[in-house]
Amino acid sequence: MLFEPSLDTLQRVNPTMDLARYFSELPPPTLQPILDASYPFFLLIADVTRLARSIRPLNNTEIQTYSHLLTNLLYYDRHLNDGSLTMNLYLLTMRILLLKVDPVLSTAEATEQISHLSPAGFSILDSLNVNQYLLGFSLWPVAVLGSIATTANEQYIAESKISSLAHRQHGQAMRLRNRLKAIWATPKVERTTSLVHRLHMLVKGI
């Protein structure tokens, strides 16, 4: 899954985080085997996930990276969003992860914004056939949204997608289920900070 530090090797391929990396001409659909999207979009997901693994305030270099990633994300949303459920789900999920490490917002403010975004995410996830994509990349939005599932219905949606994916590869899906159950079972924290706290637990591996 994209929460593994081993993917940091991607950054050594091109550490500059330059915009051209993301805005180059997209390959034709037949050359887009991941997420029905281009490799640059996959790299954007990996970069956002890597930054979101931080469990401390961002330093100056990381704040610059955050700004680049947010700019890239907004560019995709405004200019390259084809309106598909998959694209919208991944854009929304990346936005949630960036809110976790937003250098300006307080934890309470970030939690409030995440709570505004999450219903749309669960609505998309509920209607999406996750089995049409590579397993690790199908589990990624389930992991992010599942970690912030606070109602029985939201947790049911996450569990149902995991159960569906478990038929293909039991191990990864079951590890995610166990991780989410551990998050859901933790004592209640302050409601105004709970969603950011849950995302911290997800990226730390509990």
Side-chain angles (χ1 to χ4, degrees), residues 181-192:
K181 283 185 176 295
I183 292 173
W184 297 340
T186 54
K188 300 294 184 182
V189 297
E190 176 61 39
R191 184 178 181 85
T192 58

Side-chain angles (χ1 to χ4, degrees), residues 34-48:
I34 300 175
L35 312 177
D36 279 348
S38 64
Y39 286 115
F41 188 69
F42 162 73
L43 291 174
L44 176 59
I45 292 172
D47 287 340
V48 168

